[in-house]
Amino acid sequence: MVVAKQSYEDSRRKRVEENKKRMEALNLPLLSQALKTSPKPSPTKQAKPRVVQKQLVVVRRSTRFANKPAPIYKEVAVDRVAIPRRILGRQRNLSNLVLASPEAIAEADEKAEKLVLGLPPGYPILTRSMQPSHVAGGFWLGLPVDFCKLNLPSRDDVMTLIDEDGDEYPTIYLARKRGLSGGWKGFAVAHHLVHGDAVVFQLIGRTTFKVYIIRVNGSEEGNNGAN
């Protein structure tokens, strides 16, 4: 038993010696010593809060207002302005419009055709029988599409209407809508146009119409323009 115990101690001592030699060969004792003596990391420094200093400064003012007292503001009640709205679909007042009979309209158109035959050739001519919208309400005079495409400007322009007395009336021609708008009302009112009157337009210039009126009631206004 004593011999076995001694042999065990000898073998253990040999293993310890061998391990020391291996550690020395790998410099492990020096590394272990270095780790023990390495300084501890310093704790993280806390940032100090930024202190903002406030100073009162004198505000520069214009010399015109420097010596004047500060303005005093107070609330003032303001009444809302009522804006009238346009009523869509409102009917035009045509109650006072007198409508001509079909026979009277046909007679006026026939006289207009005779007048056209006596006018000088070489000028484009169109005849319009006055409808309620031409002489009342909106006062809009639509023109034939083909006539507009062939003879009138392709863009909005001012068309001058010359009556048989030589008086001129400027009107606005709307190319896209093919008709006379602004200014036509003034011409219609000045010449007392009514439903059924036949109006002859003779294009004597690029933007100038010579106008002849045949009354639906049988009388003719200024028929001296016909030859």
Side-chain angles (χ1 to χ4, degrees):
M1 291 292 296
V2 175
V3 176
K5 184 177 181 180
Q6 185 176 4
S7 61
Y8 172 77
E9 291 292 337
D10 292 340
S11 61
R12 187 180 68 80
R13 194 178 296 110
K14 287 181 181 181
R15 287 197 298 271
V16 171
E17 293 293 336
E18 290 176 357
N19 291 336
K20 286 183 178 181
K21 291 180 180 180
R22 291 175 181 174
M23 292 175 65
E24 291 176 355
L26 297 174
N27 291 327
L28 292 181
L30 297 177
L31 291 174
S32 177
Q33 187 66 25
L35 290 174
K36 292 180 180 180
T37 58
S38 60
K40 295 182 180 180
S42 58
T44 304
K45 294 182 179 180
Q46 296 182 356
K48 295 181 179 180
R50 184 179 178 182
V51 179
V52 179
Q53 296 182 354
K54 298 181 179 179
Q55 294 181 344
L56 297 177
V57 297
V58 179
V59 180
R60 298 181 60 186
R61 300 180 62 185
S62 173
T63 56
R64 293 182 300 170
F65 304 100
N67 299 325
K68 294 184 178 181
I72 300 175
Y73 300 95
K74 64 179 181 179
E75 295 183 355
V76 178
V78 179
D79 295 333
R80 296 183 61 183
V81 179
I83 301 176
R85 296 183 178 180
R86 181 180 178 184
I87 302 175
L88 299 178
R90 181 173 56 186
Q91 298 294 329
R92 295 167 180 167
N93 184 13
L94 303 178
S95 58
N96 295 327
L97 181 65
V98 178
L99 299 180
S101 65
E103 294 78 12
I105 294 175
E107 183 179 355
D109 290 342
E110 183 178 354
K111 291 181 178 180
E113 292 177 2
K114 293 180 180 180
L115 185 145
V116 169
L117 294 176
L119 293 177
Y123 299 99
I125 296 175
L126 66 92
T127 303
R128 298 292 287 161
S129 179
M130 294 294 98
Q131 302 299 319
S133 61
H134 300 160
V135 298
F139 287 93
W140 163 259
L141 179 66
L143 302 177
V145 175
D146 293 339
F147 183 91
C148 296
K149 288 182 177 180
L150 292 175
N151 304 291
L152 299 185
S154 58
R155 297 182 179 180
D156 297 350
D157 210 332
V158 177
M159 299 293 297
T160 301
L161 306 183
I162 304 177
D163 63 13
E164 296 173 71
D165 294 329
D167 295 330
E168 299 184 358
Y169 296 81
T171 62
I172 301 300
Y173 170 68
L174 301 180
R176 293 184 61 183
K177 294 186 176 182
R178 309 287 201 279
L180 300 180
S181 180
W184 167 250
K185 177 180 179 180
F187 180 89
V189 172
H191 293 81
H192 307 286
L193 295 180
V194 297
H195 174 246
D197 285 347
V199 181
V200 178
F201 297 86
Q202 184 185 31
L203 188 65
I204 61 175
R206 176 179 170 274
T207 58
T208 304
F209 276 122
K210 180 70 175 180
V211 183
Y212 304 88
I213 301 173
I214 306 298
R215 298 295 178 180
V216 72
N217 57 11
S219 64
E220 298 182 9
E221 179 178 296
N223 198 16
N224 55 5
N227 291 340

